[in-house]
Amino acid sequence: GLGSFVEKPTPLDEFGRRRIRIRLADGTADIVQGVTLITPRYYQLKTLSVGRRLLLDQRYATSNLSGAELLAVLRYATKDKKPEVRRNVVKLLLQADRYAEAKDELETLAKTYPQMEGIADMLRDLPQLRARTVLVELRRRQEAGQPALVRRALEKFPTTGVDGQILFQVREMIKQDLETQKDMDALKTDMKQRVSKIEDQYRRQQLGGIVEEICSEMTLINMPRLSAYRRLASDTALSDTDKVALAVSGWLLGADEAMPMYPRAQSLITVRNYIREFLGEPLKANRDALLAQIRSQEGGSAPLVARLLAAMKPVGTLPETVNNVPGFYQLSVPGRDKAPDVSYHVQLPPEYDPYRRYPVVVSLHGQSTTPAQQVDWWAGTASENGHRGGQATRQGYIVIAPQWGAVGQRQYEYTFREHMAVLDTLRDACRRFAIDTDRVYLTGHAMGGDAAWDIALGHPDLWAGVIPIVATADTQRYNYCKIYWPNAQSVPFYFVGGEYDGAKRAKNGAILDRYLRSLKYDAMVVEYLGRGHENFSDEVVRIFDWMGRHQRNFFPKDIDNVTLRSYDNFFWWIEINRFQPGVTVDPQEWPGRGPRTLKITGKIGVTDQFIMVRAATGKGATTIWLSPELVDFNKRIRVALTGRPEVNTVRPDVGVILDDARTRGDRQHPFWARVDFP
């Protein structure tokens, strides 16, 4: 098999050659490769010379080549060819969306062969093609929540040679942006004026404080919360106090819950402030006192508390950025079982808005890589001004990279410490950043890919998708991934590897065959021919396309999973707090033969006027968690756990909502009620 590169390959020279030094099972090999084929999607490299017999036939994405490399190779390959061949080079560049290089080549051809057919037409069409591509990119950035970047780019949008239809779209985007900014400014002015007209000093001060918050934090993302206020601001039947209360309740809860009632708005302000304190309070006695205050308020009902949580921005504090790179942080969480603290890096996308929910990539480092390098792989290496140009930047993703492996660790060990390093990092990040918990994707390279595969199967309820890169399912000692195969039905997988990456194909083959042959699994396997143990940055654009098509369903009515380790104990709305002795097998207890798993099942259905919740978790102490997405709390709910007396009384509890949001960090989907057995 082919191992990783010992050092970075040299750039392609003008002849299309490069030198690589690659690890083999019995040492290293120095190889000279040459380009034999270039297409818009990929180019082919073959061995030209090597110290030993090692004939490689590899494919890489053409997008990996710099413009200078690509043009140099193409020009050398076609320098003695007919003009028509060089014209085909331009077509290749256009199909690869390499417009700057195509323009250079076209201008060279126009000077050398001024009478060549089609050159003038291609030069005329080039600005049009480039403008369309720029417009698509700007719309992508707009969807990713980067309006300032889009605004600057629209102001500099090229107009020469661009047809009226595209320029009309550009003008409409500029017009819409200006109108939105104008509406936002008018809205701020109107609210401030109405507050100043409120005669009662106490009400004026209290509502004025929230209006100042609204005016300072209003963005395109949260502006729709004030739609009810905008619609009724001119209603003469409402007082200025009621109108401001309408704006405040919409800001705190969302437009659907906005009401022109001062007492309700006042209570919501108080409750939200208590919630903020509760989420950051480490002492239970103080949390209990805050909870009592919340319960005493009109705005302290379960539905309103859940809405306040969802609409709030994160309460966690942030340190200074790392190396002055905007949005780049290093944080830490306490280690478990006397293990050292776990540090992790976070890269936020440009124009990060705490009121917007962002998709997240959790990336696990390999044996010879660092969390910072994982961030670079997904978000791009930071330039001198701190800008990153990678796909996570373009697509608007947060990248999280924990230091999950111990110093000097050479392989994944399937331990509690490793699992908690990843899960605690995610929970801590959810408290500090605006994360869309339905779009969290777990990935890793090499040893980190092994960890991602196993951790995803042990905790399938957390992930919208999993991308193990050059991963192996199991070590010779443990085979949890093989035993946990039923859990792969609950989470999508995207595997990436190389044809000659050791014996990975043989080790993973049986498990991947099971995934691919059944319609119950959502699995994709990408294997690069002729390549070995690499990071496969070629694949990143397609990975983002795949992630954009997958979201987590956090509220399945049917659960059918298996578990074996004591720390694989939470499956959507079923939590086993304590297993019966002899049921679990942790790595340090691994027997000579594969042990039997415990099957975890649950089903929610409607029976007459009842909602029936059934679960089977063995005889261990278990909690059933419920929320409005799972059950209707206005109906009678019966909860049955196999072998235990049935529970017939289940009601929403503000304490459950807040404790769950505080511990899991998921303000998007807090549970409203819990039933404990015994």
Side-chain angles (χ1 to χ4, degrees):
L2 299 177
S4 57
F5 292 117
V6 176
E7 55 193 35
K8 190 176 181 180
T10 63
L12 292 179
D13 63 20
E14 64 177 307
F15 309 110
R17 299 176 304 194
R18 73 170 187 177
R19 293 180 180 273
I20 62 172
R21 176 172 291 178
I22 199 165
R23 287 188 178 90
L24 303 176
D26 56 349
T28 63
D30 292 309
I31 303 170
V32 176
Q33 294 179 300
V35 175
T36 58
L37 174 70
I38 298 180
T39 76
R41 285 190 59 195
Y42 71 90
Y43 64 98
Q44 182 181 37
L45 280 168
K46 288 188 176 182
T47 300
L48 300 180
S49 66
V50 65
R52 65 174 96 178
R53 184 173 180 79
L54 186 64
L55 303 179
L56 299 182
D57 183 355
Q58 301 179 312
R59 310 292 193 279
Y60 290 86
T62 304
S63 58
N64 279 7
L65 294 174
S66 70
E69 286 178 309
L70 184 57
L71 266 184
V73 173
L74 289 171
R75 283 173 174 169
Y76 178 80
T78 59
K79 67 177 182 178
D80 297 324
K81 305 293 183 181
K82 295 180 180 180
E84 291 76 11
V85 175
R86 295 187 62 182
R87 185 172 55 193
N88 289 337
V89 167
V90 176
K91 293 179 180 178
L92 183 150
L93 293 170
L94 292 174
Q95 291 168 7
D97 295 334
R98 307 296 286 260
Y99 298 114
E101 292 81 8
K103 184 173 182 290
D104 287 346
E105 189 65 8
L106 274 173
E107 290 175 346
T108 301
L109 286 177
K111 291 178 182 178
T112 310
Y113 306 103
Q115 304 304 318
M116 180 182 288
E117 184 180 353
I119 293 297
D121 292 340
M122 295 172 78
L123 276 170
R124 185 188 64 246
D125 294 341
L126 186 60
Q128 195 86 341
L129 295 171
R130 189 169 190 174
R132 286 199 184 100
T133 303
V134 171
L135 197 57
V136 169
E137 177 67 13
L138 292 182
R139 293 194 187 282
R140 177 186 290 113
R141 294 296 187 116
Q142 200 170 46
E143 292 174 4
Q146 300 170 26
L149 182 149
V150 173
R151 191 177 305 122
R152 292 192 301 269
L154 288 173
E155 292 170 354
K156 300 177 182 178
F157 196 88
T159 58
T160 304
V162 180
D163 71 18
Q165 184 180 10
I166 294 177
L167 294 178
F168 174 77
Q169 294 180 55
V170 171
R171 285 193 295 270
E172 284 298 302
M173 291 176 69
I174 294 174
K175 179 182 175 182
Q176 185 178 11
D177 180 68
L178 291 173
E179 289 177 350
T180 303
Q181 291 296 325
K182 184 178 178 180
D183 288 347
M184 196 179 298
D185 292 339
L187 194 56
K188 293 176 183 179
T189 301
D190 186 70
M191 284 189 293
K192 289 179 180 179
Q193 289 176 346
R194 292 194 187 281
V195 168
S196 67
K197 295 177 182 178
I198 297 175
E199 295 181 358
D200 185 283
Q201 182 179 0
Y202 176 76
R203 294 185 177 187
R204 186 170 65 249
Q205 290 178 344
Q206 188 181 43
L207 294 176
I210 296 297
V211 167
E212 284 298 325
E213 175 188 312
I214 295 172
C215 291
S216 64
E217 299 184 0
M218 188 191 306
T219 65
L220 296 176
I221 300 301
N222 53 41
M223 186 179 168
R225 298 183 185 189
L226 302 171
S227 58
Y229 172 79
R230 296 174 69 189
R231 189 170 61 252
L232 298 174
S234 58
D235 190 340
T236 56
L238 297 176
S239 67
D240 288 321
T241 300
D242 288 338
K243 290 176 182 177
V244 176
L246 182 70
V248 169
S249 59
W251 174 257
L252 296 177
L253 297 175
D256 293 343
E257 293 293 325
M259 296 184 68
M261 299 168 57
Y262 168 75
R264 188 172 189 259
Q266 179 190 38
S267 180
L268 290 172
I269 295 169
T270 303
V271 170
R272 190 196 62 170
N273 292 339
Y274 283 144
I275 290 174
R276 283 177 167 173
E277 290 184 56
F278 184 98
L279 294 178
E281 177 54 58
L283 298 179
K284 186 178 184 304
N286 293 344
R287 291 198 302 272
D288 289 343
L290 289 166
L291 185 57
Q293 295 285 352
I294 291 170
R295 293 187 197 277
S296 69
Q297 292 286 325
E298 177 189 347
S301 66
L304 292 179
V305 167
R307 281 188 171 270
L308 284 168
L309 277 169
M312 285 169 51
K313 64 180 183 180
V315 297
T317 58
L318 298 177
E320 294 295 319
T321 58
V322 177
N323 298 330
N324 293 319
V325 176
F328 188 38
Y329 300 96
Q330 184 171 6
L331 302 123
S332 66
V333 293
R336 299 287 193 105
D337 287 354
K338 299 181 180 179
D341 290 355
V342 178
S343 69
Y344 68 97
H345 284 76
V346 174
Q347 178 62 61
L348 303 180
E351 302 179 49
Y352 168 77
D353 185 337
Y355 287 101
R356 174 189 176 93
R357 291 194 181 119
Y358 290 87
V360 171
V361 172
V362 178
S363 187
L364 309 184
H365 64 83
Q367 301 95 306
S368 56
T369 58
T370 65
Q373 288 173 318
Q374 294 300 118
V375 172
D376 290 348
W377 197 88
W378 289 96
T381 304
S383 62
E384 290 184 2
N385 64 4
H387 172 73
R388 296 183 188 269
Q391 291 301 315
T393 300
R394 293 179 65 220
Q395 310 276 356
Y397 279 64
I398 296 174
V399 181
I400 300 172
Q403 181 64 54
W404 66 273
V407 176
Q409 183 171 336
R410 304 304 299 171
Q411 65 177 8
Y412 173 56
E413 297 170 352
Y414 300 83
T415 63
F416 173 77
R417 175 192 64 78
E418 294 165 313
H419 278 232
M420 292 304 105
V422 176
L423 302 189
D424 288 346
T425 291
L426 177 59
R427 293 187 188 109
D428 188 66
C430 285
R431 298 182 188 107
R432 298 174 186 270
F433 304 103
I435 287 175
D436 184 346
T437 53
D438 287 336
R439 294 192 293 165
V440 178
Y441 307 88
L442 181 63
T443 182
H445 287 80
M447 177 178 80
D450 304 348
W453 195 340
D454 175 62
I455 291 171
L457 293 178
H459 313 276
D461 57 297
L462 293 175
W463 319 107
V466 188
I467 307 101
I469 301 174
V470 295
T472 306
D474 298 289
T475 64
Q476 294 180 350
R477 184 177 178 186
Y478 310 124
N479 58 358
Y480 286 103
C481 289
K482 187 179 296 183
I483 290 173
Y484 276 16
W485 66 265
N487 294 358
Q489 299 177 45
S490 304
V491 59
F493 275 88
Y494 189 115
F495 298 94
V496 183
E499 179 185 16
Y500 297 134
D501 188 4
K504 281 190 170 65
R505 180 188 285 183
K507 291 180 179 179
N508 298 338
I511 299 176
L512 296 182
D513 280 348
R514 189 188 293 271
Y515 293 176
L516 294 173
R517 289 183 178 183
S518 172
L519 295 177
K520 294 181 179 179
Y521 297 89
D522 182 347
M524 177 177 288
V525 179
V526 177
E527 184 179 76
Y528 277 75
L529 300 181
R531 291 169 66 177
H533 192 83
E534 302 180 32
N535 64 29
F536 293 104
S537 58
D538 316 48
E539 194 63 23
V540 67
V541 173
R542 285 178 285 275
I543 291 173
F544 272 96
D545 179 70
W546 180 85
M547 290 191 297
R549 301 171 190 271
H550 289 83
Q551 284 196 186
R552 176 186 71 162
N553 171 23
F554 190 57
F555 301 104
K557 297 295 180 74
D558 293 276
I559 295 174
D560 188 3
N561 293 113
V562 299
T563 189
L564 183 60
R565 287 173 295 216
S566 59
Y567 40 91
D568 299 340
N569 65 322
F570 202 114
F571 298 89
W572 286 275
W573 42 270
I574 299 176
E575 181 180 16
I576 302 96
N577 302 305
R578 187 177 64 256
F579 290 92
Q580 286 290 95
V583 171
T584 60
V585 179
D586 292 342
Q588 65 271 20
E589 304 160 344
W590 191 264
R593 299 178 62 184
R596 294 182 60 183
T597 58
L598 173 65
K599 191 169 185 178
I600 308 297
T601 61
K603 186 175 182 64
I604 297 177
V606 179
T607 305
D608 298 326
Q609 72 271 34
F610 299 108
I611 294 176
M612 194 67 189
V613 182
R614 296 184 182 275
T617 62
K619 298 180 180 180
T622 300
T623 297
I624 304 298
W625 298 90
L626 299 174
S627 66
E629 292 87 350
L630 292 167
V631 298
D632 183 351
F633 285 109
N634 295 316
K635 295 183 178 180
R636 187 176 179 185
I637 301 169
R638 297 164 57 186
V639 182
L641 188 68
T642 302
R644 303 290 173 85
E646 188 175 286
V647 174
N648 294 302
T649 303
V650 181
R651 295 189 180 92
D653 186 341
V654 170
V656 172
I657 295 173
L658 292 175
D659 267 327
D660 182 55
R662 185 182 66 85
T663 54
R664 286 196 304 118
D666 188 352
R667 294 180 295 105
Q668 192 172 334
H669 296 308
F671 289 110
W672 288 31
R674 61 181 293 170
V675 181
D676 295 305
F677 295 93

